[in-house]
Amino acid sequence: MNNLQNISNNTYDLVVIGGGINGAGAARDAALRGLKTLLIEKNDFSSGSTSWSTRLIHGGLRYLESFEFELVRESLREREILLHIAPHLVKPLLLTIPIYSDRSRPYRKIQAGMVLYDILSFDKTLLSHRMLPKRKFQLLFPDLDFEELRGGAQYYDCQVAYAERLCLENILAAQAAGATVLNYVKVKQLHQQNNRIVALTCSDCFTGEEVTVKLNSRTVVVNMSGPWVDQILDSITPDGSTPSSSGSKKIGATKGSHIIVDPFVGAPMTALYVEAKTDGRPFFIVPWLGKYLIGTTDKRFHDNLDQIKADNSEIDYLLTEINRIIPIARLSRQDVKFTYSGVRPLPWEESKQPGKITRKHILYDHTKEGIVNLISLIGGKLTTYRQVGEEIVDAVYRKLGSQAPVCPTKQKPLPGAILPNDPRLKKALDDYSDVIPPTSIHHLFSIYGAKAVEVLALTDKSSDLAEAIAPELPDIKAQIVYAVNSELARTLVDIARRRTSLAMLSHYGLDLLPVMTEILAKHCGWSTQDCDRQIKDYHTYIQQNCIPDYELSEQS
């Protein structure tokens, strides 16, 4: 449980607003470099843009078209760092690009891009690209559309299947380094006096309790709330007056939606990066945890940031385009097993099409608007979160007038970092394979890395926690308890959607709720009233965010 009085009685060097991947990375970096840090998130950690991504750690091949070479180089460098500091979560992924003469990117253009991509990733450990002439491409991908086909290209980027856990490990590492991290605490007002933010009014999202966190003369506030950046800025209360808009719009949010389907006829063995026939928009078809992740769309978004859903037209668009690239797939609405949608916190550029807006992040210093201790992050990609954190902490030290210590996050592994040949995996198999299937043990290490031994240890005291959550899944009941006791989970949605991927892999997680609440009541002290309320809230979340509208209409 959050204790808001504790934060009201303390002072901090840095206050981070927003617990997505960028805020988490900044808090970890700051705590490791000696800053007394407070991170506040109004929902759960990674519940916004982080959990809405395509789950790729990539250089951004298409950014080469807009000559954003610095962004691509930065992303490729960070990709390499993440492979080393989080090898349990970040894995190499082979991508294939089919090239057609009737699309906007001809064979020679793709080939030139591949060469440049390799040059910009000169320090990589991944393999370089290869071009596939038409005949070889057809042999390797006989089920893809051959009309106007000219060949293809293959290259490596990376996938983070559990993007939410990459964020969580940064949160837990920040906490271990001394940071205070709070989820379900909302920043309601920033209080400004003269040229500084001097206090924050915060409220507990469950109890409604409010506190005012007073800042000292050195505290720096960093607004890393992603799509909600403008909302935080609009909460600034100057010199005791009512909140008013702090200035020009900073965020130009664009919506991106994904669908998840089971393996299908013609499904590729590699990830596909293709151009939609309808509008030329690039999208991905990615193998993901035994299923396929397809997305994303890209359109302006001006609605409620707290309730975002893939609409029927977006789902139909993705189904249409995958059926055009793989004609024998014949996917329909009935094949969609899960959807999710979110917005990208991109810079506000009114005149540009969504796909043309830069993906480069901006550290916006509000000194120019009369507030010397406030910085807002505009943009920021999953891939470059560590670099963003480093830049933020360097900027904070400059504002403090102090020399910044050397950033440790380039080399320091995340808490779960472990290699596949680590002896701890073999020991776990030796110790637990008589009660837990080896596939489940391997699964735990793929999610928790080195921390899997802590999950397994829970089964030593309670043998029922070694049981499977569902017969068709490798997850065990100990994960439910571990999420609450060790990973700051507060709700069923936290557990099924972000600490695990149960919601995305098994009928929206709805059939698993009785098992989950039984375990939570027995091992975590949840009352019958708690469980009933949580089940109701879970159904509401899934209906509002994940189940397609057409499916809900059929059920009603």
Side-chain angles (χ1 to χ4, degrees), residues 76 181 186 218 286 407 427:
L76 290 169
V181 296
K186 183 176 182 178
R218 287 169 48 85
V286 185
C407 174
K427 185 176 188 307

Side-chain angles (χ1 to χ4, degrees), residues 448 478-490 495 499-500:
Y448 303 95
Q479 294 173 250
I480 300 169
V481 176
Y482 190 74
V484 173
N485 290 349
S486 301
E487 296 186 329
L488 307 173
R490 307 279 299 278
I495 299 167
R499 302 307 183 274
T500 69

Side-chain angles (χ1 to χ4, degrees), residues 14 16 22 25-27 29-30 33 35 220 222-224 361-364 375-377 385-398:
L14 173 63
V16 177
N22 288 297
D29 191 316
R33 286 204 256 176
L35 294 176
V220 178
V222 181
N223 178 10
M224 305 185 76
H361 65 269
I362 299 167
L363 302 191
Y364 189 92
I375 300 171
S376 291
L377 172 66
Y385 86 86
R386 192 216 60 83
Q387 172 67 28
V388 168
E390 180 179 348
E391 292 178 19
I392 285 287
V393 176
D394 287 345
V396 169
Y397 270 104
R398 286 194 295 271

Side-chain angles (χ1 to χ4, degrees), residues 65 97-107 109-110 144-150 273-283 321 323-327:
E65 291 183 304
I97 305 175
I99 305 172
Y100 297 91
S101 60
D102 60 345
R103 313 291 164 87
S104 63
R105 298 167 179 87
Y107 190 92
K109 185 177 183 179
I110 296 292
L144 265 62
D145 180 23
F146 287 165
E147 186 178 354
E148 303 294 337
L149 180 71
R150 289 296 176 265
Y273 183 23
V274 300
E275 280 189 67
K277 274 192 173 183
T278 301
D279 54 11
R281 160 76 188 169
F283 73 101
E321 294 307 326
N323 287 334
R324 284 176 171 173
I325 194 70
I326 309 175

Side-chain angles (χ1 to χ4, degrees), residues 20 236 251 325 341 359 389 543:
I236 295 175
I251 298 294
I325 194 70
S341 186
R359 266 53 176 176
Q543 290 173 4

